Amino acid sequence: MNTIDMPDGTAVPRLGQGTWKLGERGADRAAEARTLRLGLDLGLTLIDTAEMYADGGAEEVVAEAIAGRRQEVFLVSKAYPQNASRRRLPQACEQSLRRLRTDALDLYLLHWRGSVPLAETVEAMEALVAQGKIRRWGVSNLDVADLEELGPGLANCATDQVLYNLGARGVEFDLLPYAARLKMPVMAYSPVGQGGALLRHPVLGRVAARQGLTPAQVALAWSLRDGGVISIPKAAGEAHLRENAEVWKVVLTPEDLAELDGAFPPPKRKQPLEML
């Protein structure tokens, strides 16, 4: 499994498992947990979740999936911006730890920026590290100017998790190069898009047919073509998960990449940060 180093030198898989929309239907939770466990078997040991997902339900699904296997997992969760204060972040973290049935998170992220000053959030995150509740912290949905506002705290920011796929390439103009200079991995959420529109694009289908792949595999392989990106797709089921895990065998050719660039042009100027 290809890995990437966090700023502190910890190696993590560049292909993980997302959990958005998991845990929303109680009847589906056992199957969802089985799918996540299969992902662990296939080497997808980075799992990303959030207190927002299903109001904590996704974290509970993850807890079931990793029961007895916590030592294998690089576990990521995220806090609401309204919980990112000096007073409320410790409480939010404790609730996530309880739902996940673990004593520490490997990575804790600010989900997006809110009204709490970033300096206060950094202070609260560093306190959690000192207490052993989290091993490292990072952010999500922050642009370059926001990262710069972290000030000295930026040196301890492990990642920025952002929307990144063929149809949302704005971060290539400045955010990805900025993160590369910092040697900070970027985590790509929704790497195959939402709702299926991206995967129905004829050029994506043409590249997939030429490679003997699914469009989703092509889109996912494209997101991983740059060594500085961690991709966290959510799998709809076990078959989909197995498709994701096969992506490491995919080599997109220069012809493939040029055709995809023609259909999904890279940005030529600064663009507002896209979010879901």
Side-chain angles (χ1 to χ4, degrees):
M1 177 63 66
N2 287 358
T3 62
I4 189 171
D5 287 345
M6 292 272 112
D8 64 2
T10 301
V12 300
R14 290 186 55 230
L15 182 59
Q17 302 186 77
T19 62
W20 188 30
K21 296 188 180 296
L22 297 191
E24 293 182 349
R25 288 166 45 91
D28 296 337
R29 288 191 177 189
E32 291 166 349
R34 283 196 302 272
T35 298
L36 290 173
R37 280 197 298 273
L38 175 61
L40 299 183
D41 295 339
L42 296 174
L44 307 181
T45 55
L46 186 154
I47 298 180
D48 174 83
T49 189
E51 66 172 338
M52 185 189 81
Y53 301 163
D55 292 325
E59 290 179 323
E60 293 171 349
V61 172
V62 171
E64 183 176 342
I66 68 175
R69 304 181 67 172
R70 174 66 183 93
Q71 71 283 356
E72 302 174 39
V73 179
F74 188 87
L75 186 58
V76 185
S77 194
K78 300 185 284 293
Y80 274 120
Q82 63 266 30
N83 287 339
S85 67
R86 195 178 294 109
R87 181 178 65 86
R88 296 183 63 172
L89 193 63
Q91 300 168 6
C93 183
E94 285 292 349
Q95 290 168 1
S96 286
L97 292 174
R98 176 181 53 78
R99 288 188 291 265
L100 287 161
R101 288 181 252 155
T102 189
D103 58 0
L105 292 169
D106 296 296
L107 178 61
Y108 198 31
L109 307 180
L110 169 66
H111 207 153
W112 66 90
R113 185 172 187 172
S115 61
V116 177
L118 290 177
E120 182 175 343
T121 299
V122 170
E123 180 186 335
M125 287 288 193
E126 293 289 3
L128 290 172
V129 172
Q131 294 162 18
K133 300 295 184 180
I134 64 176
R135 298 190 173 99
R136 57 194 64 78
W137 63 269
V139 296
S140 181
N141 296 303
L142 264 61
D143 208 344
V144 172
D146 302 304
L147 292 173
E148 291 175 338
E149 197 176 325
L150 293 175
L154 182 58
N156 292 331
C157 182
T159 191
D160 188 3
Q161 184 181 123
V162 296
L163 176 65
Y164 183 48
N165 57 51
L166 275 164
R169 298 184 64 171
V171 295
E172 291 178 15
F173 185 79
D174 54 353
L175 180 58
L176 292 189
Y178 182 79
R181 290 194 295 273
L182 296 172
K183 294 181 168 47
M184 180 182 76
V186 168
M187 297 181 74
Y189 71 79
S190 193
V192 299
Q194 286 289 319
L198 175 64
L199 301 183
R200 292 191 293 271
H201 194 285
V203 170
L204 196 58
R206 188 157 60 241
V207 173
R210 187 162 64 230
Q211 285 270 14
L213 303 168
T214 67
Q217 286 176 313
V218 172
L220 190 52
W222 178 89
S223 75
L224 291 166
R225 76 201 186 286
D226 177 350
V229 173
I230 300 167
S231 201
I232 48 169
K234 188 198 78 171
E238 293 188 3
H240 187 193
L241 182 66
R242 291 183 185 279
E243 283 184 6
N244 290 350
E246 290 290 313
V247 163
W248 288 122
K249 301 176 183 178
V250 176
V251 178
L252 296 177
T253 67
E255 178 188 4
D256 295 332
L257 293 172
E259 194 167 355
L260 291 168
D261 279 348
F264 305 96
K268 295 182 179 179
R269 61 183 64 85
K270 170 69 179 173
Q271 298 179 3
L273 187 70
E274 296 184 66
M275 295 174 53
L276 290 179

